[in-house]
Amino acid sequence: MPDRRSGRDRRRSPPHDQPHRRQAARHFSERAERKPDPQDWLPRLENLGLRFEELRVPARDDSGSGKGFEDAAASLGLARAHTAALSIGLAQAALEDAIAYARERVQFGEPISNFQAIRFKIATMATEVEAARQLMYHVCTELDAGRPARAEISMVKYFASEMSERVTSEALQIFGGAGYTTLHAVERHWRDTRLTKIFEGTSEIQQRIIADVLLGKPVKPS
């Protein structure tokens, strides 16, 4: 997308799009043993363990920039923003399912959407989803503009994944026992969102990054 102020294209090619890194990736893939891990969450996401034995990377595949860690960190930042978006999507789906079910489910002669306890749950769920969404929009704007947002990336990954677990759990609670069956998608939303607190850096890792940005690295007393 062109920057309106400068007229330049502000999109940056991710590290893995650069030719020397594509060559290195092919070299790795040819020598790696791939064995999918069995898992029942996010079935469309294949989780693999990789093992490299006697692997040598040709010198021509070295970027020579000396910034391999920075490139990897930049890619991880994008992945964390993506995970936040995934978390928000799962929470939004659970919220919509809970609203629809609350309107349909009749108890004591009226839909449970009339009960204050259910209404307050849904109000809180919707508020948390929207708060996470707006934070994600802000972080993605910073990333698109090429501005550093290390703390903000960790904030949105941490906040969105924690929020999503709360919202999907509350949605399942609205469904009651029916929500724990595979007759409704809410149980899958609940299971899938739990993983977002783990991959691309756990919630605890995100808290550590945020704290390090705000307070600096811990200093041990001499």
Side-chain angles (χ1 to χ4, degrees), residues 80-92 95 124-141 152-167 193 196:
R80 286 171 175 165
H82 176 271
T83 301
L86 171 62
S87 302
I88 294 165
L90 288 167
Q92 181 68 41
L95 172 63
T124 300
M125 291 158 63
T127 301
E128 291 198 309
V129 171
E130 189 60 27
R133 182 180 290 115
Q134 295 304 320
L135 178 57
M136 183 192 68
Y137 287 160
H138 167 68
V139 169
C140 290
T141 298
E152 291 84 353
I153 290 170
S154 288
M155 286 175 182
V156 74
K157 201 280 184 181
Y158 168 66
F159 182 76
S161 60
E162 294 285 336
M163 172 280 299
S164 191
E165 187 185 32
R166 289 192 301 271
V167 168
T193 200
T196 66

Side-chain angles (χ1 to χ4, degrees), residues 184-221:
H184 301 280
V186 69
E187 59 85 23
R188 178 169 58 82
H189 300 327
W190 179 58
R191 286 186 292 114
D192 287 352
T193 200
R194 186 60 182 83
L195 183 59
T196 66
K197 293 176 57 175
I198 299 172
F199 69 178
E200 307 298 358
T202 64
S203 290
E204 291 77 15
I205 287 294
Q206 307 314 315
Q207 289 176 305
R208 175 184 173 182
I209 292 171
I210 297 164
D212 285 351
V213 171
L214 297 176
L215 302 170
K217 296 283 187 179
V219 178
K220 294 182 179 180

Side-chain angles (χ1 to χ4, degrees), residues 16-55:
H16 59 269
D17 280 350
Q18 298 177 20
H20 62 271
R21 287 178 174 78
R22 289 201 300 271
Q23 293 171 7
R26 284 197 296 271
H27 188 68
F28 279 133
S29 64
E30 291 170 359
R31 300 293 302 276
E33 288 188 16
R34 296 161 54 93
K35 185 178 180 181
D37 294 331
Q39 51 95 11
D40 192 35
W41 294 356
L42 292 172
R44 291 157 300 284
L45 179 65
E46 186 178 46
N47 191 42
L48 297 169
L50 297 179
R51 185 177 67 196
F52 303 99
E53 293 184 357
E54 300 181 6
L55 175 66

